[in-house]
Amino acid sequence: MRFGRVLALAAATSLALAGCAGGGSSSSGDGSTLKIGFMGDLTGENSGIVIPPRNGAQLAIDEYNATNPKTKLELKPYDSQGKPDQATSLITTAIGSDKITALIGPAFSGESKAIGGQLEQNKIPSVSPSATNPGLAKNNWAYWHRVVANDDDQGPKIAEFLITAKSPKSAFVISDDQEYSVGLADAFEKTFKDKGVAVQRDKFPKDAPDYSSTVQKVKAANPDVITFGGYYAQGGPLLKQLRDGGVKAVFATGDGSLDPQLVSGAGAAAAEGAVIGCPCNIPDESTPSDFATKYKAKFNVAPAIYATEGYDAATAIINAVKAGNTTGEKINEFLKTADFKGVSKQIKFKANGEPETNAIYVYQVVKGAIKNLGASTEAKITG
């Protein structure tokens, strides 16, 4: 009987979530306001990657609400701190109690993998501004989308850029054990091998107290280039320890490390010359765009990584609501037809939720600042 009560409770919980499939139509009960969730690391060690897209999404929604539309939108933040288990708990609240209609995010790949099934089951359309693991598009999720190229685009293009720029004979690929980090490192390794570059590889736990073991392996290998597949929270200290250990090879990494905290974590001297690739094109402060001007006026800071993508992810959902779609199912149907010029790129989704546009941009630390060098096919590095 006890087992039966547990099953009954589980069934009731499942029905309760299913009952709010597609999200709640309103926060006031009259259909006038829809709740749109935003999920990502807003206070944790990698929040520097997530606050800009959250701000971008907020800007888009505030601009839309200022037009006094029939259906307004409320952006509801969910601070997962990038942790899959925390995301799983939060999405249950978001769907069951808060009755969100759609979700911008999750920001990271691990949390996206963790909650994708719940979003699918409850017919909550999601648009991630920054999750890049390739496997996310292989789950047959009809309600999942992203506006950035995945690591099968990012990893190879960063590696190919290094091959063109430095003609390496050997490479060392490093990752920690996070979903994103391993996926990007896999892409680095495969591309180097396919291009005839000898590769060695190492992986350490995300919360490792130091990286001395990895540093010793890299030093012994004496590679021409080093690639790291993780976030700046680990990338900065890793780069510092590599340089302190006498390793001078070019260090390159991906979008998870595109933040000034990579430089502060490593120290300006150690970070100098580091290469960072990203499927994002951060507006150049020297030639501010209309978006950059509005963003800085609202948040008192220049737009950073994925700010434009957050704006575009929100705009995709806003456009669906403008067209009269106020349920998760109808918004999702609209997203299949989305095709508009965003501030980051042309926004159009493939049948599997992937974006049609997959350009990768290259950045380099120059005199302590991260400089946009342009598209990977045209960029030139210094040093």
Side-chain angles (χ1 to χ4, degrees), residues 53-368:
R54 190 278 311 273
N55 288 350
Q58 188 68 65
L59 176 61
I61 287 175
D62 287 351
E63 289 178 345
Y64 165 73
N65 285 338
T67 66
N68 197 29
K70 178 180 178 181
T71 302
K72 289 194 173 184
L73 300 178
E74 174 190 348
L75 189 66
K76 181 81 173 172
Y78 297 94
D79 181 13
S80 65
Q81 296 189 320
K83 299 174 181 178
D85 55 346
Q86 200 155 307
T88 302
S89 174
L90 287 170
I91 200 61
T92 300
T93 300
I95 295 170
S97 302
D98 297 341
K99 295 181 170 52
I100 63 167
T101 301
L103 180 72
I104 300 167
F108 293 165
S109 298
E111 56 187 337
S112 295
K113 181 180 179 181
I115 71 166
Q118 287 173 273
L119 294 172
E120 190 76 8
Q121 178 184 356
N122 289 279
K123 299 180 179 178
I124 305 293
S126 66
V127 184
S128 177
S130 54
T132 57
N133 187 276
L136 294 173
K138 301 173 184 177
N139 291 300
N140 296 316
W141 290 333
Y143 283 76
W144 173 88
H145 314 77
R146 62 177 156 208
V147 295
V148 292
N150 69 45
D151 293 336
D152 281 347
D153 294 311
Q154 180 179 192
K157 288 184 179 179
I158 294 171
E160 288 166 2
F161 172 78
L162 291 173
I163 291 169
T164 299
K166 306 302 290 184
S167 302
K169 291 186 173 130
S170 63
F172 203 106
V173 176
I174 306 170
S175 76
D176 57 39
D177 54 5
Q178 297 180 86
E179 189 92 16
Y180 159 77
S181 186
V182 173
L184 185 54
D186 286 345
F188 287 145
E189 181 179 23
K190 182 178 185 305
T191 305
F192 283 131
K193 286 182 175 178
D194 289 348
K195 298 294 183 178
V197 179
V199 183
Q200 293 189 53
R201 184 165 175 176
D202 194 43
K203 180 170 74 171
F204 55 79
K206 167 185 173 288
D207 297 318
D210 68 72
Y211 313 116
S212 55
S213 174
T214 296
V215 171
Q216 289 305 313
K217 291 174 185 176
V218 176
K219 192 171 182 179
N222 192 28
D224 297 315
V225 295
I226 301 163
T227 57
F228 172 59
Y231 297 106
Y232 63 77
Q234 290 74 33
L238 171 65
L239 181 51
K240 174 176 171 49
Q241 290 182 41
L242 284 167
R243 297 305 187 226
D244 287 348
V247 178
K248 298 180 180 179
V250 173
F251 179 93
T253 184
D255 61 323
S257 290
L258 184 53
D259 187 271
Q261 291 179 77
L262 176 72
V263 181
S264 61
E272 187 67 16
V275 172
I276 312 151
C278 185
C280 60
N281 189 9
I282 300 173
D284 190 334
E285 286 192 67
S286 63
T287 54
S289 63
D290 180 56
F291 168 80
T293 300
K294 292 186 296 184
Y295 184 99
K296 190 164 187 177
K298 184 172 183 64
F299 301 108
N300 198 32
V301 65
I305 181 171
Y306 294 129
T308 58
E309 285 77 11
Y311 186 94
D312 288 343
T315 300
I317 294 169
I318 289 167
N319 287 347
V321 176
K322 279 183 179 178
N325 302 290
T326 57
T327 68
E329 288 180 272
K330 289 184 178 180
I331 289 173
N332 200 60
E333 284 300 309
F334 183 90
L335 291 176
K336 294 178 183 178
T337 69
D339 189 359
F340 65 93
K341 183 173 177 57
V343 293
S344 68
K345 61 182 74 69
Q346 189 71 21
I347 303 299
K348 184 177 181 181
F349 301 107
K350 297 178 182 178
N352 63 354
E354 291 277 26
E356 289 281 357
T357 303
N358 63 351
I360 302 298
Y361 294 84
V362 175
Y363 300 78
Q364 188 177 24
V365 179
V366 179
K367 296 181 180 178

